[in-house]
Amino acid sequence: MARCEVCGNEYDKTFEVVAAGKRHIFDSFECAIHKMAPVCEHCGCKVIGHGVEVSGRFFCCAHCARETAGTTAVRDRVEAPV
Ligand SMILES: [Zn+2]
Ligand SMILES: [Zn+2]
């Protein structure tokens, strides 16, 4: 039995996540996301997909990256070379 470090639940199906050399214990993905997921700098939502990183800053999507990081390099869609 281990204890979730977010909500304190003692549960037999907790799991470990190792990030940046630190070990974390959670009872659910929801708690893991709450603790570990980066937050979009523009809209404040948790980035639980791949997200977008611009110069070390995290965003949930290309639109948020463009709005806040002032870059036009990040796009949802580009034309593939023919
Ligand atoms: Zn928990
Ligand atoms: Zn966002």
Side-chain angles (χ1 to χ4, degrees):
M1 293 280 270
R3 183 186 291 267
C4 173
E5 66 182 60
V6 173
C7 67
N9 184 23
E10 270 190 43
Y11 185 45
D12 63 354
K13 293 180 181 63
T14 51
F15 57 94
E16 290 180 15
V17 177
V18 177
K22 270 197 74 182
R23 194 167 138 269
H24 300 271
I25 296 173
F26 304 109
D27 65 338
S28 66
F29 283 107
E30 183 164 8
C31 286
I33 288 164
H34 179 76
K35 175 87 184 204
M36 304 195 70
V39 173
C40 175
E41 277 194 33
H42 182 67
C43 68
C45 71
K46 294 281 187 185
V47 182
I48 59 173
H50 290 96
V52 177
E53 187 178 345
V54 179
S55 307
R57 302 163 75 187
F58 288 97
F59 303 97
C60 67
C61 64
H63 164 260
C64 286
R66 285 198 303 272
E67 289 288 310
T68 303
T71 176
T72 54
V74 191
R75 296 178 177 281
D76 287 323
R77 178 173 52 231
V78 294
E79 298 302 323
V82 198

